Amino acid sequence: MEPFDFIEIKVPAKSEYVGVLRLSTSGVANRMGFNYEDIEDLKVAISEAMTNAVTHAYREAEEGEVTVGFGVYDDRLEVMVADHGGSFDLGKVKAEIGPYEQSEPIENLREGGFGLFLIDALMDKVEITSDHGVIVLMTKYIQENKVGLDDDQISTTQ
């Protein structure tokens, strides 16, 4: 098994804790050497996953938690966002929200569907299970071609 460090955070399933996760994500990704754009992508994707958990996992009277785990590898960051609320049929949700068409006006986007597509667009790999609550596992690789502190060239590849 490939060695990695694991960081776990549990927060109440409340929207005011989305910012706490964004700051934690930024700190972990910055320490790993992600560039500014990738850190911003990570923060947006994790915010969307957390917002989905807060919005859909628990009923209004329920108080729940969202667990966020960061798997820190040499070449990538794996982030798991898990709730323990009611699960949903992912296939049904995807069928209802359908793919986003570029010709579709923004005001016609289906509520809740844009977040999943945004996560998929910003991360290198996304896996979602909904057997016991919902678990979103997102992977972002560190880009090899970047400008180092002592480099005298700028790479144009990504």
Side-chain angles (χ1 to χ4, degrees):
M1 181 177 192
E2 185 179 355
F4 67 99
D5 292 332
F6 187 74
I7 303 162
E8 184 176 282
I9 300 171
K10 285 186 180 183
V11 295
K14 296 178 179 177
S15 59
E16 54 263 37
Y17 290 95
V18 173
V20 172
L21 289 181
R22 289 177 57 88
L23 287 172
S24 299
T25 301
S26 180
V28 170
N30 187 42
R31 193 202 65 73
M32 293 178 65
F34 278 96
N35 64 40
Y36 175 78
E37 289 180 12
D38 286 343
I39 291 172
E40 292 302 309
D41 289 350
L42 281 160
K43 288 165 53 180
V44 170
I46 293 165
S47 294
E48 287 295 328
M50 172 70 179
T51 300
N52 283 343
V54 168
T55 305
H56 301 292
Y58 302 99
R59 300 176 205 274
E60 286 184 29
E62 285 184 298
E63 290 191 18
E65 291 181 327
V66 176
T67 303
V68 180
F70 297 93
V72 179
Y73 294 84
D74 288 339
D75 64 341
R76 68 188 183 279
L77 177 63
E78 292 182 352
V79 183
M80 174 200 70
V81 177
D83 64 57
H84 305 289
S87 63
F88 63 89
D89 183 344
L90 181 63
K92 182 180 176 188
V93 171
K94 280 186 169 180
E96 288 176 356
I97 59 179
Y100 170 68
E101 301 291 336
Q102 289 190 353
S103 60
E104 191 173 1
I106 192 81
E107 58 269 10
N108 290 348
L109 283 176
R110 290 154 298 268
E111 184 178 344
F114 189 67
L116 289 175
F117 288 105
L118 191 58
I119 291 169
D120 192 46
L122 296 175
M123 301 301 285
D124 294 321
K125 183 179 176 185
V126 178
E127 299 169 85
I128 302 173
T129 63
S130 58
D131 296 336
H132 305 286
V134 176
I135 299 173
V136 180
L137 180 61
M138 302 168 278
T139 304
K140 187 79 169 176
Y141 287 90
I142 297 174
Q143 300 297 320
E144 294 293 328
N145 298 326
K146 60 184 179 181
V147 177
L149 293 175
D150 297 327
D151 288 348
D152 60 353
Q153 297 180 353
I154 298 174
S155 173
T156 57
T157 60
Q158 290 195 19

